[in-house]
Amino acid sequence: MNPELNPQDAELAKLLERSAQAIQPSSAFVAELEDKLNNSHQPQRGGSSAWKNIFPTLGWAVSLAVLALGLNWTIKTFVPLATPQPASGAIPTEALPQGIPYDFNGTPLYLNAPLPAAQADMPIYSIRAEQLATEESVRALTAQFHMQGQLYKTPGFTQDDFLLVDGNRRLQVRSDQYFTYYPDYPRWQKPLTFVESKAPDAEAQIAAFFSENGFNFPYSVEYSEAFGSYFANALNPDSAIIVNESIPSYGARFHFDELGIVAVEFSLLSFESVGTYGILSAEQALQIALSASSQRMQMSSTSVSIAPQVWHREYPFDEAITYWGYVTSLPSAEGAEQLVTIDGYTATGNISDVPANTQFVFVQVTGQFHTENGVRTFAVDSWSVYDGYDDSLGGRIELTAAGPQISTEDRGDIPLAPLPTGFPIPMENAYITGVNVDGIFEWKTIQDFGGKFGFGGGGGSGGSPFFLVNLSGTPVALPTPQIFPTPIPLDQMPTGQIFEDVSGTLSVNIRFSEDGTERTEYVFILDSNLGDISYVALEGAGLEELLAQHNRPLKVWGTVTHYDQYGNAVLLVERYEVPYPNLQAQILHGKITAAEGDGEVVQLFITNDGITYAMLGSTGVAGEGGVKGDGSAEMQVEVLIIPGETYAGYPAIRVFVSALAFDGQGNPFEMGMSSSEPNVFPEIPAAPENFYYVIEKVELVYYIADQRYISADAEGLQPYIQPVWRFTGHTSDGSVFIILVQALQENFLQPDPAFYIQPG
């Protein structure tokens, strides 16, 4: 997570926030379904069908908005399938990793690192609140970077940040503690496909950078596999690094490309000691981690993926061209002209009619790229909002007699603009962005996924907020740690549950494999749990007739016969009934507001025809994955209206997707419908055999939650930088995991949870 968004990202984030109207799934809902969908939702079907339902029909900015809605609403309510469970059984002796073996909630864990000794008492530090930036403080900081230039305002986390532009260089400043420097901003702004590089002389470049710009805080350099970048870890007086839930350390995060440093994100805390207090030993912390208790422990894991090779289209200088990109405008902080950029390049020329505060609008421009003293700009002759969209395709790039083309699964063969010299053809699994103009795809970026189409990464997290620090001198009893039961082997799970006229919602998933084979799975999500069962996979004759009933109500009769390898209960269907065979989704236009109903706040959708509906999730549950609104924005929603379904005294609608009715320029946005189309997912990976964890490093570090995200109910609580034991390592499938254990002894803690951000 970047400490500060760059200007274009911030503008996009602001647009997404407006479009999504503060989508807020409940934390319990998100946690449960993220766990169940982990490793299940990935880009789809090899070629371009991975994107066919979104990108070909929408502009990129709107596509991202729909993706945000889809991932936080639709996908998470489609199918809660469990992740593969580690295979049981002993690990073959020849495959045993090195280290001392332990049991980690039923999974082998190996300690392959020494448990370091630490002093019995360690300092705790109080943090000084950040000082938000002013024009004067920003000018002082820019002088440290030897920068001059114009000062602008740009969207930040909680308020506008300052942005200093000096040629290609930029400095975005939130406060004295958080700021980001870009030595060559256009390099950072390579559209959508910036790929980091690992620099063999990274430490030397980092040392030179600090020396040149007057930074002399003590630090250590560490490369993060999970983040793909280098961290100059700021050290506290005890020579320990300081971490939070989301980043390996505070200090400075260095991003490299093939040319060197391309961005530096600073997070420099200011603090003072409040005394020394007793801590646990590393052995005691390890036992807490192994106890399967969520108390005092946080865990996160991230799969490490290999970045694709990327080609960016190069454009000639001082030559008239037509270009398609995103225009933004930022107001001056000093009363000067606004800053206008196109894909991160400063725009000059005919730009006086670009509206103020333009946010990431896709345009067609004519003009010339120009460079002077190394500063790259785009001189605009004319511009207009593009009557089309930023497109993307996936498929096979090949060379024909007529020139290069991309062969896609669902859109056929599309000719490409000329490729660079030496471009490797054929390319089996390419992902390209650009614009389709008169039948020619004017590509801007090409990514080669090396035989496998998909974006790697992902992971999970666990644990709970740490306890609040208690420095009152009066010990307070902590709750008894929660002990989780040992998982029951799948072949011992209870079966035989009878389903008799049980109502729920059907989800249809098409699973594809790399060899081209497919299978269809039918998942039934119960309206009300049957014991511990909230959903089942369906098996039986005649289920193919249900393909058209995706996301529709269903009634089933049958018996739970077994659990599949992913931990899902399997229902052998004796018969089923479709209550509303002709039920169709529809799009409603109106506004979202809220009202009191049956003692709770109900989200309402008031159509342009004056009809008021209570908004439910896609499976008919109130408050799950729902959007919120204040009645000001014109919205459109894709919904099902179940005959007779009501909630809190209102007729109800089941909502799948919500979006603004108009784009940023006031043009109507017609949203397509997708709720009737089955989900398309890659095949669930086979359960890893002999899965295990290996701890490779144990160290005492310091911890404080990221204060920029502090919630209103946590304000006023004194934040402390406190010692934690950090265990890091790899799993047998190559993922990186981190376990943090609160190191303070119990008499220096109190049972209330501290402010906390879910890792990941």
Side-chain angles (χ1 to χ4, degrees):
M1 181 176 296
N2 294 341
E4 295 296 330
L5 295 177
N6 59 60
Q8 185 168 321
D9 290 341
E11 291 156 1
L12 175 58
K14 190 173 181 180
L15 175 61
L16 292 182
E17 181 179 5
R18 290 176 53 208
S19 299
Q21 287 290 292
I23 294 177
Q24 296 177 0
S26 72
S27 58
F29 174 75
V30 171
E32 177 184 358
L33 292 187
E34 282 185 346
D35 285 343
K36 292 172 181 174
L37 282 170
N38 186 29
N39 295 327
S40 296
H41 174 67
Q42 300 176 19
Q44 305 168 4
R45 288 204 197 215
S48 62
S49 60
W51 311 97
K52 67 180 180 181
N53 293 331
I54 297 177
F55 295 117
T57 55
L58 302 173
W60 182 256
V62 176
S63 300
L64 289 177
V66 172
L67 275 176
L69 289 165
L71 292 177
N72 288 287
W73 172 300
T74 312
I75 295 298
K76 289 181 179 177
T77 58
F78 276 160
V79 155
L81 281 179
T83 57
Q85 296 186 354
S88 59
I91 299 174
T93 303
E94 63 273 12
L96 285 174
Q98 295 183 341
I100 303 172
Y102 293 90
D103 178 79
F104 184 46
N105 195 29
T107 301
L109 179 146
Y110 295 86
L111 176 63
N112 192 27
L115 294 175
Q119 298 179 21
D121 298 304
M122 293 296 292
I124 293 178
Y125 301 91
S126 63
I127 188 172
R128 181 180 64 83
E130 62 177 328
Q131 302 299 308
L132 296 179
T134 64
E135 290 186 33
E136 293 74 20
S137 67
V138 173
R139 285 294 180 186
L141 185 60
T142 56
Q144 185 173 343
F145 283 95
H146 315 290
M147 296 177 67
Q148 298 178 349
Q150 297 295 316
L151 202 57
Y152 302 92
K153 290 291 189 72
T154 186
F157 280 150
T158 56
Q159 74 289 311
D160 284 344
D161 293 349
F162 286 94
L163 178 71
L164 192 285
V165 177
D166 182 1
N168 293 330
R169 297 197 295 161
R170 295 192 180 186
L171 181 67
Q172 181 171 341
V173 184
R174 167 189 168 92
S175 68
D176 60 335
Q177 298 180 11
Y178 297 97
F179 47 94
T180 302
Y181 171 71
Y182 306 94
D184 188 355
Y185 190 70
R187 276 166 50 205
W188 174 258
Q189 280 298 102
K190 294 292 188 182
L192 305 176
T193 53
F194 174 77
V195 175
E196 303 221 22
S197 297
K198 198 169 183 179
D201 61 340
E203 292 196 34
Q205 291 193 50
I206 290 171
F209 176 87
F210 282 155
S211 176
E212 293 168 3
N213 296 291
F215 292 96
N216 57 8
F217 60 88
Y219 69 93
S220 63
V221 176
E222 184 177 16
Y223 179 76
S224 170
E225 287 184 275
F227 286 80
S229 51
Y230 292 85
F231 285 81
N233 308 316
L235 304 178
N236 71 1
D238 304 289
S239 297
I241 67 175
I242 306 171
V243 306
N244 67 30
E245 304 91 339
S246 301
I247 61 172
S249 73
Y250 289 92
R253 179 181 179 183
F254 283 80
H255 302 268
F256 287 82
D257 64 7
E258 68 278 4
L259 300 179
I261 297 172
V262 70
V264 186
E265 302 174 75
F266 287 88
S267 53
L268 301 176
L269 304 181
S270 179
F271 48 85
E272 61 182 0
S273 175
V274 295
T276 59
Y277 300 87
I279 67 168
L280 304 175
S281 67
E283 175 64 35
Q284 290 172 313
L286 175 63
Q287 294 307 315
I288 289 177
L290 296 173
S291 67
S293 168
S294 63
Q295 304 292 322
R296 305 185 64 172
M297 169 189 165
Q298 297 173 6
M299 181 176 181
S300 62
S301 65
T302 304
S303 60
V304 179
S305 58
I306 299 175
Q309 188 173 2
V310 180
W311 288 261
H312 299 281
R313 190 167 180 181
E314 299 293 336
Y315 298 89
F317 288 110
D318 302 317
E319 182 178 317
I321 63 170
T322 300
Y323 184 83
W324 294 265
Y326 289 98
V327 64
T328 64
S329 63
L330 299 175
S332 170
E334 303 170 307
E337 295 294 322
Q338 66 179 358
L339 172 68
V340 178
T341 65
I342 299 174
D343 282 351
Y345 294 95
T346 298
T348 63
N350 184 24
I351 57 173
S352 60
D353 57 345
V354 174
N357 299 309
T358 296
Q359 300 178 14
F360 210 67
V361 174
F362 195 60
V363 299
Q364 174 178 305
V365 295
T366 60
Q368 303 179 24
F369 279 102
H370 181 65
T371 182
E372 184 175 353
N373 298 324
V375 178
R376 296 182 294 282
T377 58
F378 190 90
V380 177
D381 293 330
S382 65
W383 73 276
S384 61
V385 176
Y386 184 57
D387 185 21
Y389 49 86
D390 188 6
D391 203 353
S392 60
L393 300 170
R396 184 180 193 268
I397 295 179
E398 54 196 11
L399 188 62
T400 69
Q405 69 176 22
I406 183 168
S407 179
T408 71
E409 181 180 313
D410 58 335
R411 295 170 65 181
D413 298 334
I414 301 176
L416 298 177
L419 299 173
T421 302
F423 186 86
I425 290 182
M427 183 179 292
E428 294 297 332
N429 285 285
Y431 172 66
I432 66 176
T433 65
V435 179
N436 197 326
V437 181
D438 297 329
I440 303 294
F441 196 84
E442 297 287 346
W443 66 273
K444 292 175 72 174
T445 65
I446 300 176
Q447 297 182 69
D448 178 12
F449 283 87
K452 290 185 178 181
F453 187 87
F455 298 97
S461 59
S464 66
F466 286 148
F467 292 121
L468 280 176
V469 173
N470 174 21
L471 304 184
S472 67
T474 302
V476 180
L478 300 182
T480 302
Q482 180 182 1
I483 303 299
F484 296 104
T486 301
I488 301 174
L490 295 179
D491 57 2
Q492 299 178 23
M493 295 286 284
T495 58
Q497 296 90 333
I498 303 297
F499 280 51
E500 185 76 25
D501 193 16
V502 176
S503 299
T505 301
L506 178 69
S507 183
V508 181
N509 304 318
I510 297 175
R511 297 279 184 182
F512 65 91
S513 301
E514 291 184 4
D515 61 6
T517 59
E518 295 182 351
R519 69 178 177 90
T520 303
E521 62 184 9
Y522 303 87
V523 178
F524 180 69
I525 306 168
L526 283 66
D527 287 344
S528 300
N529 286 7
L530 185 63
D532 293 331
I533 298 177
S534 59
Y535 62 93
V536 291
L538 303 182
E539 289 185 356
L543 295 182
E544 63 276 2
E545 297 178 7
L546 292 175
L547 274 172
Q549 301 303 320
H550 176 59
N551 280 331
R552 301 301 188 263
L554 186 70
K555 293 184 176 182
V556 298
W557 288 255
T559 304
V560 174
T561 58
H562 65 283
Y563 283 74
D564 63 22
Q565 61 178 319
Y566 310 112
N568 304 309
V570 177
L571 183 77
L572 180 60
V573 178
E574 298 170 3
R575 68 184 182 96
Y576 60 79
E577 178 183 314
V578 179
Y580 312 104
N582 299 316
L583 186 65
Q584 299 294 323
Q586 54 187 295
I587 292 179
L588 302 180
H589 292 78
K591 295 182 178 181
I592 298 173
T593 186
E596 290 285 340
D598 292 344
E600 62 177 315
V601 176
V602 181
Q603 296 300 314
L604 302 177
F605 190 85
I606 304 175
T607 70
N608 291 340
D609 297 328
I611 303 174
T612 300
Y613 292 98
M615 300 176 68
L616 306 179
S618 62
T619 59
V621 179
E624 298 290 20
V627 294
K628 297 181 179 180
D630 59 7
S632 61
E634 290 285 343
M635 302 291 294
Q636 53 187 326
V637 290
E638 181 181 358
V639 305
L640 277 181
I641 302 178
I642 309 299
E645 187 168 51
T646 63
Y647 185 79
Y650 297 94
I653 52 177
R654 298 188 179 190
V655 182
F656 295 95
V657 179
S658 172
L660 290 171
F662 300 92
D663 64 20
Q665 301 301 306
N667 301 311
F669 164 53
E670 293 300 327
M671 182 175 67
M673 292 196 295
S674 61
S675 65
S676 299
E677 299 181 14
N679 305 317
V680 181
F681 294 136
E683 186 57 81
I684 302 173
E689 293 189 10
N690 306 320
F691 185 85
Y692 56 83
Y693 298 86
V694 179
I695 294 175
E696 297 160 340
K697 188 175 184 179
V698 182
E699 58 189 327
L700 186 69
V701 301
Y702 275 74
Y703 163 92
I704 186 171
D706 193 330
Q707 299 299 295
R708 291 172 297 169
Y709 298 98
I710 193 166
S711 58
D713 57 357
E715 292 179 358
L717 297 176
Q718 173 60 52
Y720 291 104
I721 302 176
Q722 59 178 299
V724 298
W725 285 103
R726 182 169 72 168
F727 302 84
T728 58
H730 289 80
T731 62
S732 52
D733 65 3
S735 297
V736 177
F737 71 89
I738 299 174
I739 298 174
L740 300 179
V741 176
Q742 195 169 22
L744 286 172
Q745 294 178 356
E746 287 193 7
N747 52 321
F748 301 118
L749 302 174
Q750 53 183 309
D752 299 316
F755 175 69
Y756 170 70
I757 303 168
Q758 184 78 10

